[in-house]
Amino acid sequence: MAIVVALAIACTRAPRTLPLATGALRGANVLLVTIDTLRADRVGAYGSPANLTPTLDRLATEGLRFERVYAHVPLTLPSHASLVTGRYPTRHGVHDNGTFTLGDVPTLATALKAAAYRTGAFVGAFVLDARFGLNRGFDVYDDRMAGNSADLEVVQRTAEQVLEPAYQWIGSEQRSSIDQQRRAISHQPFFAWVHLYDPHEPYSPPEPYRSRYAADPYAGEIAYADAALGSFLGRLRASASLSNALVVVVADHGESLGEHGERTHGLFAYDATLRVPLVIWGPPHIRPAVVSQTARLVDVAPTILDLVGAAALANVDGRTLRPIVTGEQPFDDPGSYFEALNASLTRNWAPLRGIVADGVKLIDLPLSELYDLATDPGEQRNLYAQQRERARPLEARLDRVTSAAATSAARPSIDADAEARLRALGYIASSSPGAPKPARTYTAADDPKQLVNLNTALDDAAAMWSRGDVASAMATLQGVIARRPDLTLAYDRMAFILRATGRSTDAVAVLDGAARNGHADRALLRSLGSALRDAGDLRRSAAVLEELVRGDESDLQAADALGQTYARMGRGGDAESLFKRVLDRSPNGSTTWNNMGALYLVQQRTADAIDALSRAVAINPTLATAHNGLGVAYARAGQTDRAIAEWKRALELRPGYADATQNLASVRKERPTGR
């Protein structure tokens, strides 16, 4: 009987008289769950038959399920920026991962903080690191990532690794509130944001999901994330943390899975990557219903603030969905703006922008596209050439959105750790985000649809590298360059592989060749400066990097790289100054703390080395070089047992690590047998 009732509820539309007043959940705890890279059609409540998401399905059955919801960018950072600000990227200014940081813009967290909420965020991937600006308004912003940044598996953490500290934080707040109630002090609600990255590539679910979904690891990641979320919510229910709560679950974008020739996301803007699930749960105030009217990610923050009775965010593109759900105001589709600019920013391909309204989608490119989503949900029949008159109103709407003045987006604090981790995720920081570019006319040859095979080749090369097939990765990148010599990203990735495999001189040759042929940008020159240092050409390394640091003081990666070069040159004071500049802006840069500790070891500043290297391993416990350096520092301080423990840990993390092996051997020679 319960199943029949649930199905009946899931098929209803939002009743026109659903009672839900402004502030209906005033004082309620707020839990926002964002699940990265989750297609709507992989959720059972949205029609998936695979039974992957019983947790989400239950929430959808008990709450409001929004049938058609659109993201604005198929990338994690800019999409979340729109979600928390209620603004399109044209106005919050964040257009890509890693190359922009959210400026001084009001957010959901700042609004709830002003409404006396305690605020905590727990994110699952480095792409949402605090340095990119989404930490504003949070008392706690848990973005701790571990591992070697050259390893694809370590720039994220699993759902359980995100949810456990979130549970502990919520639990501590719950215990605190109980103590306050005993002292007759008013209860302070919490706002917790948890971000689960698991469905994002690389798809590597833990057991038993790895075996159960061996033929579809993306599905395995979804099933695992849903199960982990279910356990988390069960623990919160048991602790009464959800007895008066508003829970919102939404995805930031979807995944192409090969549709339109795109393997993952970020290049195109079809519904496979733009349409996302959205569920709002809050019984007994929110009654079960399905809302068929179109919603947008920019509507989420205004809706949450309306429901809890907090002050609205000013100057937003979104609107609260509450009066539409209740029928207080008729639905008028405002349209949903979207963009996918990564290929334009990093590869100089044509920029992709568009708008979807009243079931029709316009994609503005040199080869423009128009789709009737009601009759062609798979977006297979481009109607633009035959129905230009139908496109004109959408083109006018798009012009109005893109003509809006964008908020100035500051450059993010990109240090060496950041760049390496972004590379590991498959992202590359563009050279000068937001900087004026020479006017140019894009042609059909620059349309991403014409270049999608190059995008696939770049992805394939990254996958080959991660599997250890260096020769195939290099051959693939050489093929990309042969077809598109201006694609600086391919040179940079070739150099990255060469440096990682100890061929720094060859990396210099690749980057030098690109620069000589007019294909250098800031990212390529930073790589060149580091490759020159690895190859032993310290003078030229310094010359290249000094120009970058002078040209942009916010370029923390160049500053960190130059600090390493200065340290190798014996210019310790200059190196320390640069490392401190980086750490002042990016205090969780574990590799920079490691570099600082290594400098202090050279300078015989043992206590300072222990402090710096201890910070490095506290932030990133799997940084083998920091453990080795810490062992050296402890040995100098006469703490031999601690030194041995650190060297053993370094070898556990990196078997065969020559420095740690030699250090252990030397100290064992000095100690009596058996000790």
Side-chain angles (χ1 to χ4, degrees):
M1 179 64 69
I3 293 176
V4 173
V5 171
L7 289 174
I9 290 172
C11 294
T12 63
R13 293 193 174 200
R16 302 296 294 174
T17 57
L18 186 68
L20 189 61
T22 292
L25 286 95
R26 190 181 304 275
N29 295 322
V30 177
L31 173 63
L32 172 64
V33 180
T34 60
I35 304 179
D36 216 292
T37 325
L38 176 61
R39 287 174 60 127
D41 62 8
R42 287 301 185 100
V43 177
Y46 286 81
S48 173
N51 194 32
L52 300 176
T53 57
T55 301
L56 297 183
D57 298 344
R58 176 182 174 184
L59 292 172
T61 298
E62 297 175 351
L64 293 174
R65 175 170 68 83
F66 291 81
E67 180 66 23
R68 184 167 291 276
V69 183
Y70 281 102
H72 309 292
V73 188
L75 290 168
T76 300
L77 178 63
S79 187
H80 278 89
S82 287
L83 177 71
V84 301
T85 64
R87 301 186 185 193
Y88 289 144
T90 52
R91 297 188 50 251
H92 62 59
V94 179
H95 301 281
D96 197 8
N97 289 322
T99 52
F100 298 85
T101 189
L102 185 66
D104 189 14
V105 179
T107 68
L108 177 61
T110 61
L112 290 175
K113 182 69 177 172
Y117 275 75
R118 296 191 178 192
T119 56
F122 305 84
V123 302
F126 178 72
V127 73
L128 295 180
D129 186 274
R131 71 194 70 189
F132 302 122
L134 268 63
N135 61 325
R136 295 184 60 252
F138 284 105
D139 301 323
V140 172
Y141 195 88
D142 186 342
D143 57 355
R144 294 169 294 172
M145 304 294 148
N148 185 321
S149 57
D151 182 349
L152 288 174
E153 300 293 337
V154 298
V155 292
Q156 59 176 299
R157 49 183 178 170
T158 66
E160 289 168 291
Q161 291 170 333
V162 172
L163 293 169
E164 182 57 33
Y167 175 76
Q168 295 299 328
W169 179 80
I170 291 171
S172 69
E173 300 302 318
Q174 184 74 9
R175 289 189 294 273
S176 174
S177 66
I178 292 172
D179 292 340
Q180 290 173 346
Q181 289 170 356
R182 288 172 180 167
R183 295 193 302 268
I185 300 176
S186 61
H187 167 64
Q188 188 174 17
F190 68 76
F191 166 49
W193 166 34
V194 294
H195 163 249
L196 308 183
Y197 193 70
D198 302 86
H200 196 287
E201 192 192 35
Y203 315 129
S204 183
E207 293 292 1
Y209 304 95
R210 183 189 300 270
S211 298
R212 190 177 299 164
Y213 298 96
D216 187 359
Y218 174 67
E221 292 274 36
I222 294 171
Y224 162 66
D226 183 86
L229 179 61
S231 176
F232 173 70
L233 293 175
R235 295 171 72 188
L236 291 182
R237 287 191 184 95
S239 67
S241 297
L242 297 184
S243 59
N244 180 32
L246 173 66
V247 178
V248 177
V249 183
V250 65
D252 61 343
H253 57 77
E255 189 79 316
S256 278
L257 300 176
E259 292 185 21
H260 296 91
E262 183 180 27
R263 187 167 62 86
T264 57
H265 60 272
L267 181 65
F268 293 138
Y270 300 109
D271 272 17
T273 59
L274 283 189
R275 190 178 166 205
V276 298
L278 169 62
V279 173
I280 299 180
W281 179 95
H285 306 285
I286 294 177
R287 299 181 183 178
V290 175
V291 182
S292 60
Q293 294 91 340
T294 300
R296 306 162 297 170
L297 288 194
V298 291
D299 298 327
V300 172
T303 302
I304 292 173
L305 295 173
D306 184 4
L307 289 173
V308 300
L313 295 171
N315 198 23
V316 297
D317 296 297
R319 61 184 180 179
T320 175
L321 299 170
R322 184 197 56 78
I324 296 169
V325 169
T326 63
E328 293 174 31
Q329 69 181 50
F331 177 72
D332 176 27
D333 192 344
S336 184
Y337 168 81
F338 58 84
E339 66 180 37
L341 299 182
N342 173 268
S344 179
L345 291 167
T346 66
R347 305 167 202 188
N348 206 28
W349 298 356
L352 186 158
R353 298 181 177 90
I355 198 160
V356 56
D358 299 318
V360 182
K361 179 188 283 188
L362 169 73
I363 301 175
D364 184 31
L365 280 169
L367 300 172
S368 295
E369 300 169 63
L370 185 72
Y371 298 101
D372 186 326
L373 299 175
T375 61
D376 181 23
E379 297 163 286
Q380 297 297 315
R381 298 186 297 276
N382 183 3
L383 304 175
Y384 187 83
Q386 296 81 21
Q387 300 185 17
R388 288 291 303 275
E389 73 286 348
R390 198 175 182 188
R392 288 192 184 98
L394 293 174
E395 289 171 332
R397 284 195 187 197
L398 181 59
D399 288 343
R400 288 194 293 271
V401 173
T402 56
S403 64
T407 300
S408 176
R411 288 183 59 88
S413 302
I414 301 290
D415 56 18
D417 194 21
E419 186 81 357
R421 288 172 182 259
L422 288 166
R423 275 197 182 91
L425 286 172
Y427 300 126
I428 279 289
S430 57
S431 56
S432 299
K437 291 185 176 182
R440 61 160 294 183
T441 300
Y442 293 97
T443 69
D446 303 306
D447 192 301
K449 293 188 292 295
Q450 306 291 91
L451 301 166
V452 64
N453 60 333
L454 294 182
N455 191 70
T456 300
L458 289 171
D459 286 344
D460 289 344
M464 293 166 186
W465 159 247
S466 69
R467 294 195 302 266
D469 189 351
V470 175
S472 295
M474 292 294 290
T476 300
L477 292 170
Q478 287 165 349
V480 169
I481 290 170
R483 178 171 172 192
R484 191 87 180 192
D486 64 342
L487 213 168
T488 58
L489 178 58
Y491 298 103
D492 196 50
R493 288 190 177 178
M494 284 183 67
F496 177 75
I497 291 173
L498 289 167
R499 289 178 61 204
T501 53
R503 299 167 60 188
S504 296
T505 301
D506 292 338
V508 170
V510 167
L511 298 170
D512 265 343
R516 282 195 302 268
N517 291 321
H519 304 313
D521 59 13
R522 176 172 286 271
L524 188 145
L525 291 173
R526 285 196 302 255
S527 296
L528 176 58
S530 296
L532 286 163
R533 180 185 64 247
D534 293 348
D537 192 344
L538 301 180
R539 181 191 59 79
R540 191 169 169 224
S541 171
V544 171
L545 294 169
E546 283 167 352
E547 290 303 314
L548 296 178
V549 171
R550 291 191 195 102
D552 186 353
E553 290 190 358
S554 68
D555 187 348
L556 298 190
Q557 185 191 356
D560 185 86
L562 181 58
Q564 294 178 60
T565 296
Y566 282 162
R568 290 271 298 273
M569 297 172 77
R571 297 172 57 179
D574 293 330
E576 182 177 9
S577 177
L578 285 167
F579 291 148
K580 285 182 176 179
R581 181 199 297 186
V582 174
L583 292 169
D584 183 57
R585 296 275 303 279
S586 182
N588 287 326
S590 59
T591 58
T592 305
W593 281 114
N594 185 34
N595 293 336
M596 182 79 91
L599 173 65
Y600 289 150
L601 285 175
V602 171
Q603 296 175 330
Q604 302 296 317
R605 295 165 60 180
T606 301
D608 289 335
I610 290 174
D611 177 67
L613 294 166
S614 295
R615 290 174 183 262
V617 298
I619 296 165
N620 184 351
T622 60
L623 196 59
T625 53
H627 283 287
N628 179 65
L630 193 53
V632 173
Y634 281 140
R636 289 182 182 176
Q639 301 181 51
T640 307
D641 289 339
R642 297 184 74 175
I644 291 172
E646 293 295 337
W647 290 326
K648 287 182 176 179
R649 179 58 179 153
L651 285 169
E652 289 172 2
L653 294 167
R654 189 194 296 181
Y657 186 5
D659 288 351
T661 300
Q662 182 177 344
N663 289 331
L664 267 176
S666 64
V667 77
R668 282 169 175 164
K669 287 181 180 178
E670 299 172 2
R671 303 188 75 176
T673 302
R675 286 194 60 189

